[in-house]
Amino acid sequence: MIDPERKTPRSKTATVVGIVALVTLFAVSACAQTPPPPPPEHEPFASSAPPPPPSEAPPPSPHPKAVWVGGHWRWVFRRYVWIPGHWAYPPVNRAWVPGHWARHAMGWYWVPGYWK
């Protein structure tokens, strides 16, 4: 086909190659790994990893449907403080997902547990 303004033939192969190049570029950029989201800004960063959790024996359950929510370390004034576990009543058809400490470029931060 001839472009009336350019007076030169347009190659279908060049058009197909251009489209393939664009699709490949988008596919490769979609596969690129993105860094994890930053931690919440209100959470303080700990300068070191938390110690192992102490042995914690739950007291007797107050109710058959109660769920034990294990304790965790909290970073307070540049040191770890143990927060003991407790019994909780779960929302209907939910399970407790425990919190955990995660590493970040700025240090360690607490990711709270939640009902799933």
Side-chain angles (χ1 to χ4, degrees):
M1 176 183 239
I2 299 208
D3 186 347
E5 292 187 18
R6 293 181 63 201
K7 303 288 187 217
T8 58
R10 186 180 304 170
S11 168
K12 288 184 181 179
T13 304
T15 303
V16 170
V17 168
I19 291 171
V20 169
L22 284 174
V23 169
T24 303
L25 177 65
F26 286 122
V28 169
S29 65
C31 292
Q33 290 184 346
T34 57
E41 292 184 23
H42 65 277
E43 292 292 328
F45 286 99
S47 57
S48 61
S55 177
E56 187 175 43
S61 173
H63 189 274
K65 292 185 178 182
V67 173
W68 179 251
V69 175
H72 65 276
W73 289 108
R74 178 177 287 166
W75 183 251
V76 180
F77 298 114
R78 295 183 290 175
R79 69 183 183 96
Y80 284 103
V81 175
W82 180 252
I83 306 300
H86 63 277
W87 288 103
Y89 293 97
V92 178
N93 297 325
R94 299 289 179 107
W96 177 249
V97 177
H100 64 276
W101 282 91
R103 188 173 187 135
H104 187 269
M106 296 173 62
W108 291 83
Y109 66 96
W110 176 247
V111 178
Y114 60 95
W115 295 100
K116 179 179 181 182

